[in-house]
Structures are given as C-alpha cells and as structure tokens.
Amino acid sequence: MPDAPGLELLAQDVREIHADAVVGTEFFRGKGALLVAPAAIGDVLELLRGKGFTNLMSVHGVDYYPEEPRLGVQYELLDRVALDRVTVKLRVPLDAPSVPSVTPQWPTADFQEREVYDMFGVVFDGHPDLRRILMPEDYEGFPQRRDFPIGGEPVLFTVAEAAGKDYTMGANNEPKRAETDS
C-alpha cells in the first residue's frame, strides 16, 4: 500500500491528467484511498493501470446512511509486481445513484457491479448485462441498504399447505409454544 506521501503523489499524477478527477485522499490504518468523482472512474482506473495497478481485485458497495451522498462504490486495485494496493472510492446521491461501468475495460468487474446494483441499487451505466444476480428479478428494494427493514421477509413453507396446516401452528393447529425445562 502506498504510504501517505506516496498516495499524495499518486493523486497528483491523476490530477495532472484529469484535473477534476480526484476529490481527496484518505490514509487510514496504513491503507491509502483515492476519493474520485464518479464520472472520472474509468479514466482514473486506466491511469492507475498504467502505474502498475493491473489487477482489479474487487468492487464493493457501501451505504453511508445518514450522510449524503449516501451510496458509495469502492474499487480495490493490486500491483502484483510491487505488492502494492490502493482503494479508489466514489460516492453518489440516493436520488441519482449512477456510475459509469468499468466492465468493458475490467471484465472482472462484471458480476461485482451486478452485485452492487442488486444489493445497493447503484446503476452502472454501460454495463453489458445489468440485472439482479442474487435476488429474484421481481424483488423490490435493496437489502444491503441501511434503511432496509431488519428481518426482511417472512419465509413461507408451503409443503403442509395442501393438508390445511399452517406452518406456524403445532400438530393440533394451535400456536407453537416455546418449551421450557420448568
């Protein structure tokens, strides 16, 4: 991981090519991160590829509730020669959660962008196959957002439905009670 001065030099290199791309830098617990404008993500990742960060290891979604811009996307890059890592972060508002897709340049981002879309609702413009990957297509909502109801949905077991038994009822169609040792 670049140290704090190395991170600032990396940010300066990016700013020389794309003046408005870097919003800031973050160095926390020995890990460096570039904070970038969403529209510049493709250019920034390509520039970092030229600096040796040739492997996109992961793409993550983040919900910064209650802060705005609320939703974030993080890209973890690895330089396998120098054994160096850098995180590239961006944030988008809840009312326009849109980010350019990096899948055409980084094929490994394909399923990871779909997962961020599915769990957080961030739309990746230009993605070749942006659809849900973990949840059913007709599912409403985004389960990893912090305002999603805890407990989710009740699971209905319908195997006993044909016999007229409710899965929440006991053998005599009475509510199940917790057994105690007393």
Side-chain angles (χ1 to χ4, degrees):
M1 288 165 246
D3 57 5
L7 180 65
E8 292 301 326
L9 290 172
L10 199 57
Q12 182 179 344
D13 290 346
V14 173
R15 285 183 184 114
E16 287 175 4
I17 304 294
H18 200 300
D20 299 331
V22 178
V23 177
T25 59
E26 188 178 273
F27 194 78
F28 183 67
R29 295 186 179 174
K31 186 167 171 108
L34 293 173
L35 309 170
V36 302
I41 189 61
D43 295 339
V44 171
L45 293 183
E46 282 304 311
L47 180 75
L48 292 173
R49 181 183 288 194
K51 297 278 182 188
F53 294 95
T54 56
N55 298 90
L56 177 64
M57 301 309 293
S58 61
V59 179
H60 306 282
V62 182
D63 186 350
Y64 292 101
Y65 177 82
E67 298 175 23
E68 273 295 332
R70 181 170 155 187
L71 300 175
V73 181
Q74 298 183 1
Y75 301 83
E76 299 285 337
L77 296 172
L78 174 67
D79 179 344
R80 293 175 65 152
V81 174
L83 296 177
D84 210 0
R85 283 184 181 268
V86 70
T87 302
V88 180
K89 298 180 179 184
L90 61 85
R91 290 177 69 168
V92 292
L94 193 59
D95 59 346
S98 180
V99 178
S101 175
V102 298
T103 298
Q105 297 81 22
W106 302 83
T108 189
D110 185 4
F111 285 5
Q112 297 175 61
E113 286 183 347
R114 285 180 59 191
E115 183 176 353
V116 172
Y117 164 71
D118 195 6
M119 296 288 111
F120 294 93
V122 176
V123 176
F124 291 90
D125 297 327
H127 190 282
D129 186 23
L130 191 62
R131 59 189 165 100
R132 290 198 180 265
I133 192 169
L134 299 172
M135 304 304 291
E137 283 293 327
D138 61 347
Y139 191 82
E140 294 181 17
F142 304 101
Q144 291 294 312
R145 286 190 182 174
R146 289 189 170 189
D147 59 357
F148 193 79
I150 294 178
E153 299 178 11
V155 178
L156 301 178
F157 298 98
T158 57
V159 69
E161 191 174 332
K165 295 182 180 176
D166 186 334
Y167 76 97
T168 60
M169 300 298 214
N172 298 327
N173 274 342
E174 294 178 13
K176 292 182 181 177
R177 297 199 173 122
E179 295 181 26
T180 60
D181 293 334
S182 50

